[in-house]
Amino acid sequence: MAKRSTPRTIDEYISAAPSGCQPILEKIRTIIRQTAPRAEETISYGMPAFKQQGILVYFAAFKKHIGLLPPVRGDQKLKRAAAPYAGPKGNLQLPL
């Protein structure tokens, strides 16, 4: 069995994701670009990420959810709103 190669760009990551996840990943990418227009796209730990003076956010497709990292911190109102999607490490898990 051939080893899957690590994507070098977010385009490669999204094109290798299951077809049902691709539009969701593109939407997340667009929202991040609009919110942080100076952030640079990168792949880190095999996941799409945006960096600007360090990593701002990671996102990735999993079997049953889309993961959004890093954990929500500091804003209690946002933390309460995101609570239904909180993963085991505080990251967000958005069901597919």
Side-chain angles (χ1 to χ4, degrees):
M1 184 168 180
K3 184 179 177 185
R4 255 179 49 186
S5 62
T6 302
R8 292 170 287 148
T9 66
I10 292 179
D11 285 327
E12 286 181 10
Y13 183 93
I14 292 173
S15 67
S19 60
C21 293
Q22 292 175 6
I24 300 167
L25 295 171
E26 281 293 355
K27 180 72 173 174
I28 292 170
R29 180 189 203 182
T30 298
I31 291 168
I32 296 168
R33 280 183 170 168
Q34 291 170 345
T35 306
R38 293 191 317 259
E40 298 175 37
E41 292 188 353
T42 190
I43 295 290
S44 180
Y45 297 104
M47 295 182 289
F50 280 80
K51 63 182 181 176
Q52 185 175 324
Q53 298 177 343
I55 298 292
L56 293 175
V57 65
Y58 294 93
F59 62 102
F62 294 92
K63 242 182 211 184
K64 297 181 180 182
H65 69 276
I66 300 290
L68 191 63
L69 309 102
V72 175
R73 294 190 179 114
D75 184 328
Q76 292 306 313
K77 185 176 178 181
L78 178 59
K79 197 171 183 177
R80 281 191 302 275
Y85 307 103
K89 296 180 181 178
N91 56 308
L92 299 179
Q93 293 183 350
L94 310 170
L96 288 173

